[in-house]
Amino acid sequence: MPSKPESILKDLEANNFAPVYFLQGEEPYFIDKITGYIENNALAHQDRGFNQIILYGKETNMATILTNAKRFPMMSERQVVIVKEAQAIQDLGREQADQQLIHYLKNPLPSTILVFAHKYKVLDGRKALAKELDKRAVFVKSDKVPEYKLAPYIDDYVKGKGFTIETRACQVLAESIGNNMEVLTNEIDKMLINFDEPVAINTGHIQQFIGISKDFNNFELTNSLSYKDVQKANTIIQYFAQNPKSHPLIPLLSLLYLHFSRLLQVKASKGMGDRELAAALKVNPYFIKEYTTAAKNYPLGKIIDIIGYLREADLRSKGVLANNLDESQILKELIFKILH
């Protein structure tokens, strides 16, 4: 089974390096994080000139990579060979190249750290190379963090920095930034450097240091729809219309679709306790009251209609039957249909 990026980072921070790393997957953030750590920490600065080699996949082939990997370090206990953009290696996937790498995996040079940063793609798990990498190398699959796991991820990330964060603040970040992990972690890091001592992060801190309004954000919009607070919803979408670059329509439609899909689950979950329902919805139990209230506020037929409105808005946002409406007008019409 491929290793999780977080566990590999912990090993690296403990100065435990392996001979071969193959980092693959759709989420580049974790691949860059692991690659960057090895590049910046596996060798002392003065040793990098002779013992750190950076190759790029589209400019190299497997024979060249392995020739460098088999070289002994100069006046150092180890050398590092990093292949960036490894998904573009000229002959990766061809029988001869794959067999060359398999042969190396069976007896890697202990003094070499060989890293493949294979972004946006994964190897065919049925083929011999993937099986051998899984068996003999540190084989990492870097998946996109699904939206329902973002808030727990943020909570863990902030705790890992020595801080805590309120549940509501986690949700605001998750729903306002989404699962672009590089942007999300950069924004959190920029916020945390403003504190000399650990604090409990709240929505006020997020507004002050990141610029996401504690009153006008995606989380507050879904909350206002749950409770059918027409005035609050309209105020928020007016704010969104005045700040369109900060509140793009497509991610918001995805969030609203997830929200109302969960209401369908609530409708079908009669007899479940709060914790059981939270597990089924993949949300923090803190938010169950909102979902159960929303399920009472929207009849089943209305929820099904809303799913249809969301699909229509998605098509319009892509220019299909848009009738020259801009994103703010599409959103205003959508929210009106949801609430009335």
Side-chain angles (χ1 to χ4, degrees), residues 11 32 40 59 70 97 105 107 150 188 191-192 199 201 215 223 242 244 260 264 278 312 336:
D11 285 343
D32 288 339
N40 295 317
E59 299 170 357
K70 294 172 184 176
L105 290 171
N107 188 28
L150 272 181
I188 293 171
M191 173 175 60
L192 297 183
V199 299
I201 300 299
D215 299 313
N223 181 266
Q242 293 166 10
F260 283 97
L264 289 176
E312 179 185 38
F336 180 86

Side-chain angles (χ1 to χ4, degrees), residues 26-293:
E26 294 182 6
E27 177 52 69
Y29 170 77
F30 298 110
I31 295 173
D32 288 339
K33 191 92 172 172
I34 294 170
T35 304
Y37 190 93
I38 293 172
E39 185 174 348
N40 295 317
N41 295 279
L43 294 173
H45 184 76
Q46 65 270 19
D47 292 332
R48 294 175 198 165
F50 290 110
N51 295 298
Q52 184 157 279
I53 300 164
I54 308 295
L55 302 171
Y56 290 86
K58 62 184 176 181
E59 299 170 357
T60 192
N61 58 29
M62 192 62 70
T64 302
I65 293 165
L66 296 179
T67 296
N68 280 283
K70 294 172 184 176
R71 183 174 68 90
F72 288 96
M74 294 182 64
M75 297 176 290
S76 175
E77 65 174 299
R78 63 167 69 114
Q79 70 156 351
V80 174
V81 179
I82 296 175
V83 187
K84 299 186 177 182
E85 301 172 9
Q87 71 278 5
I89 293 171
Q90 295 168 9
D91 52 355
L92 181 64
R94 297 178 191 170
E95 180 67 20
Q96 183 178 353
D98 287 3
Q99 286 300 321
Q100 287 173 340
L101 181 52
I102 289 170
H103 182 74
Y104 180 80
L105 290 171
K106 291 178 179 178
N107 188 28
L109 194 66
S111 57
T112 294
I113 300 171
L114 174 59
V115 183
F116 293 88
H118 186 277
K119 295 182 184 178
Y120 312 115
K121 294 181 179 181
V122 295
L123 298 177
D124 186 339
R126 298 167 297 179
K127 292 191 173 181
L129 178 57
K131 291 177 181 178
E132 289 296 321
L133 284 165
D134 194 18
K135 189 191 306 183
R136 301 178 185 276
V138 175
F139 194 36
V140 175
K141 189 179 179 188
S142 179
D143 292 321
K144 287 282 188 186
V145 178
E147 292 176 353
Y148 71 88
K149 288 186 176 179
L150 272 181
Y153 178 87
I154 292 166
D155 186 60
D156 288 342
Y157 185 83
V158 172
K159 285 178 179 174
K161 299 285 185 176
F163 293 73
T164 58
I165 183 168
E166 295 177 359
T167 302
R168 192 180 187 88
C170 272
Q171 204 68 25
V172 167
L173 283 172
E175 297 191 4
S176 297
I177 297 178
N179 66 348
N180 184 323
M181 302 308 294
E182 182 176 3
V183 173
L184 179 62
T185 53
N186 282 346
E187 292 294 340
I188 293 171
D189 290 344
K190 285 192 292 185
M191 173 175 60
L192 297 183
I193 62 173
N194 290 280
F195 302 98
D196 295 326
E197 296 180 358
V199 299
I201 300 299
N202 57 40
T203 54
H205 295 131
I206 291 170
Q207 177 169 339
Q208 182 180 0
F209 298 113
I210 298 180
I212 300 171
S213 170
K214 64 185 179 65
D215 299 313
F216 304 108
N217 55 63
N218 292 348
F219 172 78
E220 293 298 338
L221 178 60
T222 57
N223 181 266
S224 68
L225 295 177
S226 293
Y227 290 97
K228 281 204 161 183
D229 189 333
V230 176
Q231 182 177 352
K232 181 180 177 182
N234 286 331
T235 301
I236 292 171
I237 62 173
Q238 288 291 347
Y239 178 85
F240 284 7
Q242 293 166 10
N243 302 272
K245 290 184 179 180
S246 300
H247 302 281
L249 182 59
I250 297 295
L252 178 55
L253 292 177
S254 176
L255 177 63
L256 291 174
Y257 182 83
L258 177 63
H259 185 75
F260 283 97
S261 296
R262 283 173 172 161
L263 296 192
L264 289 176
Q265 289 180 265
V266 175
K267 291 286 189 182
S269 64
K270 292 180 181 178
M272 280 191 184
D274 285 358
R275 290 198 168 275
E276 191 179 3
L277 181 56
L281 298 182
K282 297 176 180 176
V283 299
N284 191 302
Y286 175 90
F287 298 106
I288 285 301
K289 181 182 177 183
E290 177 185 336
Y291 281 105
T292 54
T293 301

